[in-house]
Amino acid sequence: ETMRAHVVVLAGIVLIGLAASLAHAVQAHGVYIASDPPANGILAQPPTSIAVTFSEAVQPGTPSIRVTNSSGQQVRSGPAAVSTSDPRAITATLDRISPGVYTVTWGVVSAVDGHFSAGSFSFALQNPDGSLPGPLPGATGVVPASISTLEVAFRFLTFIGLATALGTVAFFLFAWLPAEALVDSELRPMDAHRQGYRALARWAGIGALALCAGAGGTWLSTLALRPPSTISDAVGSPFLASAAARLAFGVGLVILLSSALVRSPDRKAFAWSPFRLRTAGALAVAAIVAGSLGTHSAAAEAWWPLGPLADSAHLLGVSLWVGGLLAIFRVRRWLRANESQAFAADVLLRFSRLAFYSVGLILVAGVLLSLILVGSLESLVGTPYGWVILAKISLFAPMVALGASNRRRSVPAMSGPEGPAPSAPAVTRSVR
């Protein structure tokens, strides 16, 4: 029964985490907007430079521009660089060219999401008599950015680690400790309580380690696309800076949460004070905000600062709810014990209230994010990102249904005339 429970929870974590990770991985990348010369433009005079503008800022040190003639021979041009006047544009000087049809192939890494994009367009330089030297190939071509399995894995670790760490800390701060203060010690065996405390501390620490692994892996794998030439280039874009900040906050969380496993001098209690709890929660929230500043929601200038605020609120709600559910799963053996049912009932009642507000936050912020990142019903059903949003909803809906059933039936029964005994184990089974 225990093995089956772990398999079910692991499968659920993977499904939810992959859906969240893929939602970030397939968000709309920085796309081609305009160029000079324009795509399929016909010029009377040879250009002296090439400029390409994108929908999002380009990571410095990553752009490339290659110009070839109709025979495939490369035309001499200067190195590509991000424009000093517009971070969304890249430029390169071009040697004098003769009449002909030319193809410009570009490649960039987005400063917003760290994804590589590439594409090409063509232009023609007229003959002296005004005639075309050859046919133009057609519309602008863009090479779709592939989704790296490694990137999805790192994003999964970041998401599930952050949710586990923050959700467990919030569960401890808003449910476990207040219940401990109100329930008579005779109804709450101290040995079992201390074991549950230690299990939660380890659980949160594992989450913090996963956050470090995910954020660090994301940061390093992005740098590997184009190794930085200076130290400042390692945080030279919003995406790189947010990944590095998440890693730093994760390291702080690991150090702080490890102190929860250190006993006090009298060997009867542990050294995790409410102050440490609040500090750990603040570090986790800071990691959420830092991550939101390196997303497409932050790059949507028309929605600033509403975009990153909605993204932060959405992930905060998910972390409190999903992470709290995982914390309940971790300590279910102590919550289901017959001798601690009064304590378990108080813990679950308090978490139920926290979960109710968390789900409301998820819904409100999620709708706003959909408006910012999807924009229309056509995009919802006509783009990969839209379909991943629909997949997330299909996983979210049954979770909400189970939670609503618990809140309407099992949770109120804990304070009913029959007492908590019949209901607390039912709730932990539903959480599983």
Side-chain angles (χ1 to χ4, degrees), residues 53-79:
T53 303
F54 303 93
S55 61
E56 297 176 348
V58 176
Q59 185 174 312
T62 65
S64 65
I65 291 179
R66 184 172 181 267
V67 183
T68 55
N69 60 23
S70 56
S71 300
Q73 296 177 325
Q74 185 172 351
V75 178
R76 293 184 60 184
S77 59

Side-chain angles (χ1 to χ4, degrees), residues 241-324:
S242 68
R246 272 191 166 181
L247 175 59
F249 288 128
V251 171
L253 264 175
V254 170
I255 295 173
L256 188 62
L257 293 173
S258 349
S259 68
L261 297 174
V262 178
R263 289 182 182 271
S264 60
D266 61 8
R267 307 294 293 176
K268 294 181 180 179
F270 293 97
W272 198 358
S273 66
F275 174 77
R276 281 192 176 93
L277 282 170
R278 297 187 187 100
T279 305
L283 285 174
V285 171
I288 288 177
V289 175
S292 297
L293 293 175
T295 62
H296 293 281
S297 60
E301 296 179 359
W303 292 88
W304 179 268
L306 197 56
L309 286 175
D311 191 84
S312 297
H314 187 65
L315 187 52
L316 175 63
V318 171
S319 297
L320 293 175
W321 186 38
V322 175

Side-chain angles (χ1 to χ4, degrees), residues 290-353:
S292 297
L293 293 175
T295 62
H296 293 281
S297 60
E301 296 179 359
W303 292 88
W304 179 268
L306 197 56
L309 286 175
D311 191 84
S312 297
H314 187 65
L315 187 52
L316 175 63
V318 171
S319 297
L320 293 175
W321 186 38
V322 175
L325 292 174
L326 293 175
I328 292 174
F329 173 77
R330 179 64 186 89
V331 294
R332 69 194 186 283
R333 59 177 286 196
W334 294 284
L335 295 177
R336 294 169 67 174
N338 290 331
E339 63 273 13
S340 60
Q341 286 301 293
F343 174 69
D346 200 23
V347 168
L348 295 174
L349 283 166
R350 292 174 184 278
F351 176 74
S352 177
R353 288 192 289 269

Side-chain angles (χ1 to χ4, degrees), residues 3-81:
M3 177 64 70
R4 186 167 62 249
H6 280 84
V7 170
V8 170
V9 170
L10 180 60
I13 290 173
V14 170
L15 282 173
I16 295 168
L18 287 180
S21 307
L22 284 168
H24 285 281
V26 302
Q27 282 180 13
H29 305 291
V31 295
Y32 169 97
I33 296 295
S35 61
D36 184 18
N40 294 321
I42 300 174
L43 311 181
Q45 298 295 326
T48 58
S49 64
I50 302 292
V52 188
T53 303
F54 303 93
S55 61
E56 297 176 348
V58 176
Q59 185 174 312
T62 65
S64 65
I65 291 179
R66 184 172 181 267
V67 183
T68 55
N69 60 23
S70 56
S71 300
Q73 296 177 325
Q74 185 172 351
V75 178
R76 293 184 60 184
S77 59

